[in-house]
Each structure stands twice: as C-alpha cells, then as structure tokens.
Amino acid sequence: MHFNQTNHHKRNILVVDDTPDNLRLLSAMLTAQGFEVRKALNGKMALTACQMVLPDVILLDINMPDMDGYQVCQQLKADDKTCEVPVIFISALDDVVDKVKAFDVGGVDYIAKPFHGAEVVLRIENQINLRLLQVKLQEKNFLLQQALDNLKASQVKQIQNEKMVALGQLVAGLAHEINNPISFIYGNLQYAGQYVQDLVNMIEVYQQEYPKPTPKIQQIAKNIDLNFIIKDLQNLIGAMYRGSDRIREIVLALQHFSRHDEAEMKRVNIHEDIENTLVMLQHRLREAADRPAIVVVKDYGNLPLVTCYTSELNQVFMHLLNNAIDAIEEGVENQSPTPYSLLPTPQIWIHTEVTDLNMVKIAIADNGPGIEESLRSRLFDPFFTTKSVGKGSGLGLSISYQIIVQKHRGNITCTSSVGKGAEFAIEIPIEQTEP
C-alpha cells in the first residue's frame, strides 16, 4: 500500500533513533512507501535537522543518551518554527506511564517496538492528513478573521462617515444661523459707535456753551458719573467690536471645519486647518480648576498647499488634539493631590515640515503620562481604548488610521515612553492621486 501523496510531492519524515539498525530498517521501509526520509542518531542532530528543513512528521525514539525523546519533544514544542510538527514516539517500553508522559510533552501518537511496517505507515498517514486538515482550518479561520476585521473596519467607517456628515450639516447650519445675527451686530456697531461719539461731542459742546448747568442737570450728571461714562463708552464699543469679531472667527472656523459639502480632494493650507481645529478646542485648552491653561507650542515649517480630503484630515487633527488634551488631564489626575502651583506646565507641541521623500509631516506631542509599549501596537485597532469607561469609544485612532493610511496613502505612527508623553506623527504625500 503506497501513501497517497497530497500536493504531489514526497512527504518529509525525520526518523530519530540512536540504534543504526532501527534507522536503516525504518528508512528502507518508509522510502519504499514513497516518503522522503532523513535520519538522526541523537536529539541534538534531530533539532538541527528540523531547523534546516522542517519535516512533515517526526518519528522519535524515547530512550537515547544525553537527551531523551521527551526532552527533544519539549524543545521542539517550545520553538515557534517546529511546534506544529506532529511527533510520533517509538519505544520498546510498552508502559502506560511512558505513554502518558509522551502525550504530556506534546506527542500525538505512540508506537511500541517491535513495530509493524503497515501500522507505522498508517499512523504517519493519519498524522499527515490531520496536519493538512489543521492547516486548512487555520487558513479558513484566518480568512474568517480577515473578513470579520474588514467588516468591522467598514462598519466603523460607515458609522463615522454618517456621524461626520450629520455633524457637518449641524455645524454648518449653526454657523449659518449664527452668521446672520452676528453680521447684523458687527455691521451696526460701526454706526452705533459713530452715533455715541456724536452724542458725546454734543454733550461736550453743551458743557462749553453752558459751563454752569442747572442744579437738576448737575445732580443727574453726578448720579450717573457722566465723566466716567464718556471715558468708558469708547472702551465698551471697542470690547463689543472685539467680541463680535471673535464670534465671526469662530463661525468661520466652524464653516471651515465642517466642510460637509467638500467630499473631493482639494489643495489646502494645512496650517489654516490646524488653526481652525484649535479654535474649536479653545474651551478645552483654557485654565481649569485643577490645572493651568494648556500651552500650545507651534513649530510650523514652510509647507506648500497640500492636496487632500480636507474635511477628513480635520477629523484626524481633532482626534489627535483631543487625545493629547485627554492625556494631559489624565496626567494631572494621576499627580493629585500635588498643589496646583507645583504642576508642570501642560504643553502640546505641533511641528510641521516637508520630508526628504516629498511628504508633509505633522507631529502632535504632549507631556502627558505616556503610553506603555505593550499598548502601542493596539492603538489603531477598532474599539481598543486606554481610557476609562464612558470616556472613549476606541474609534478615533482607528478612523484616523483609515483616513491617513488608506485614503491618503500616508502613514501614522506613535512614539512614547511612560512618564514622558506621547507623539503622533502623520505623513501624507503633497500631491494625491484618485484611488
């Protein structure tokens, strides 16, 4: 009976036995059955042979000098390269204890000497077929996991896209509604300021022409502190100008940030997009009850206009800056109850440059508590988060990865060490091509 050679090549069998006669007998028998046989006289030779060419099955004698079969099997199972190779033990000791130990150390089968050729071939064939089934099952599991990961990624992307479209429409609608009344206020402030100045001038003329007002006018002037009002009116008008101008800046930033109708690539000024995102986060950067204001240090390089999906790139800036602020606040919480005045100044650094590979690099770093090395490899996985329950969905960095790597053909990396903050670096090509 010849072994049915799957995949049309000879199966490689490694026979390990310290008795040359046994080696010759097994080798001749298995070669006649169509196997390719290699021989090893001891455990050390067997381990070396496995590293050179991985066998399909190992026939392993138990009783050998220096290193017995159990020890050889344990070393094979401890090595990622050889741990999956089926090991069939061969021993003259047909003892129950030996059989139990053989399976405990990772053997898959046990043959007692003297052995029958047909039995050995059948057992080898069974193990090879089992191994083939295992490999196929692993491949199917891998494909299923890949399909599941792709499904998760597409779900995350779809959810985020719908969320951002809705948010963009909401923000754009709010910006439009706020823009109308603030434009009315800002436009009329100029006239209001002029009218106030005219009235002040009129009062000053009255004071010159009638230096001795009636007692009633004197009393009213005293009650309202007329001189202070005249001096402070211009300050009030100036403050209202600045306030309304600030609202107009925020409205403009909202409109730029949402850009819900800009699904196409376009050339943009990256620094303007970063500044607009910072405007959106001003409320989080300000001084809080338990920490000083977060200082944003900008180290902007000389960047050209960059072709990108600007709305989605804004999402990435928002995620990274929000995460940096979260990290700083977590660091402050960890240092509690350190007095406010002794806390280090919380800082976020933003660095931009053009790299040698004609890519634009944007690095955002913080002086928060940093990220453990064991966690960094999972940062961009969907739904993985280091934040406490209710403070993060684990989608921000996964979405950022999709936007930068898959959509912009760039890369995003994190460098960090515990206690020394973290830095996220984005690199995207200056010019994009449609996918």
Side-chain angles (χ1 to χ4, degrees), residues 65 68 129 143 185 187 273 277:
D68 65 24
N129 287 335
L143 291 172
I185 293 168
D273 281 353
T277 308

Side-chain angles (χ1 to χ4, degrees), residues 111-385:
I111 301 172
K113 297 177 185 176
F115 42 75
H116 301 283
E119 179 188 0
V120 174
V121 171
L122 276 172
R123 289 179 184 271
I124 291 173
E125 182 179 349
N126 285 339
Q127 292 307 322
I128 288 174
N129 287 335
L130 279 172
R131 180 70 191 129
L132 283 172
L133 289 172
Q134 284 177 343
V135 169
K136 286 179 181 177
L137 184 60
Q138 286 172 350
E139 287 174 355
K140 285 182 179 179
N141 285 342
F142 175 77
L143 291 172
L144 283 170
Q145 186 60 49
Q146 207 172 34
L148 181 61
D149 290 343
N150 290 338
L151 179 61
K152 277 186 179 180
S154 63
Q155 284 177 333
V156 168
K157 191 172 181 181
Q158 185 178 0
I159 291 167
Q160 182 64 12
N161 284 344
E162 290 175 0
K163 176 180 167 183
M164 288 311 296
V165 166
L167 180 61
Q169 290 172 342
L170 175 65
V171 167
L174 280 171
H176 178 74
E177 290 302 316
I178 296 170
N179 197 44
N180 287 335
I182 200 60
S183 295
F184 174 79
I185 293 168
Y186 188 82
N188 284 325
L189 266 177
Q190 179 182 352
Y191 299 109
Q194 187 59 55
Y195 297 158
V196 166
Q197 189 58 51
D198 289 343
L199 290 172
V200 168
N201 292 341
M202 185 70 176
I203 291 170
E204 287 175 348
V205 170
Y206 264 103
Q207 287 175 331
Q208 291 167 10
E209 294 295 321
Y210 299 97
K212 292 184 178 181
T214 64
K216 186 176 181 180
I217 293 173
Q218 287 181 10
Q219 186 61 41
I220 292 172
K222 183 180 178 182
N223 290 342
I224 66 173
D225 199 348
L226 181 62
N227 290 335
F228 174 77
I229 287 177
I230 290 172
K231 287 178 183 177
D232 202 43
L233 268 173
Q234 292 307 313
N235 293 336
L236 288 177
I237 296 295
M240 286 189 282
Y241 259 122
R242 289 191 298 275
S244 57
D245 198 42
R246 175 70 178 145
I247 296 171
R248 289 173 71 224
E249 283 180 11
I250 293 171
V251 168
L252 191 62
L254 286 168
Q255 289 172 329
H256 279 297
F257 181 80
S258 65
R259 296 190 184 188
H260 67 286
D261 55 343
E262 295 181 11
E264 301 301 318
M265 286 190 295
K266 61 184 295 183
R267 291 164 65 83
V268 298
N269 183 326
I270 291 290
H271 293 153
E272 283 185 3
D273 281 353
I274 294 173
E275 291 297 324
N276 287 330
T277 308
L278 286 170
V279 168
M280 303 278 287
L281 292 170
Q282 278 302 311
H283 67 289
R284 296 204 65 196
L285 296 169
R286 294 192 191 102
E287 183 177 359
D290 57 349
R291 64 158 174 82
I294 298 173
V295 177
V296 178
V297 180
K298 301 167 192 172
D299 177 24
Y300 290 165
N302 186 19
L303 300 187
L305 294 179
V306 178
T307 304
C308 63
Y309 296 93
T310 181
S311 179
E312 298 194 20
L313 200 57
N314 281 340
Q315 290 181 45
V316 176
F317 296 150
M318 179 65 81
H319 286 312
L320 296 185
L321 287 166
N322 254 323
N323 282 351
I325 296 168
D326 288 341
I328 286 170
E329 291 183 341
E330 180 190 341
V332 170
E333 287 177 11
N334 292 342
Q335 293 180 65
S336 180
T338 304
Y340 182 105
S341 57
L342 297 179
L343 291 174
T345 302
Q347 288 190 329
I348 293 174
W349 294 268
I350 306 175
H351 169 80
T352 63
E353 64 175 276
V354 176
T355 69
D356 295 337
L357 299 174
N358 209 31
M359 306 268 278
V360 166
K361 179 179 179 180
I362 304 109
I364 296 173
D366 63 71
N367 61 346
I371 304 166
E372 292 180 17
E373 185 179 355
S374 60
L375 302 177
R376 287 206 299 276
S377 62
R378 300 183 60 196
L379 285 178
F380 301 106
D381 292 353
F383 308 109
F384 175 77
T385 179

Side-chain angles (χ1 to χ4, degrees), residues 26-55:
L26 282 167
S27 178
M29 182 182 68
L30 295 174
T31 301
Q33 294 296 324
F35 295 107
E36 182 179 318
V37 181
R38 291 185 297 149
K39 296 172 280 185
L41 279 166
N42 55 54
K44 189 174 180 182
M45 289 174 62
L47 294 172
T48 303
C50 286
Q51 292 298 323
M52 292 172 64
V53 177
L54 200 65

Side-chain angles (χ1 to χ4, degrees), residues 394-405:
L395 293 177
L397 287 178
S398 174
I399 290 160
S400 298
Y401 183 89
Q402 289 180 27
I403 290 169
I404 297 299
V405 177

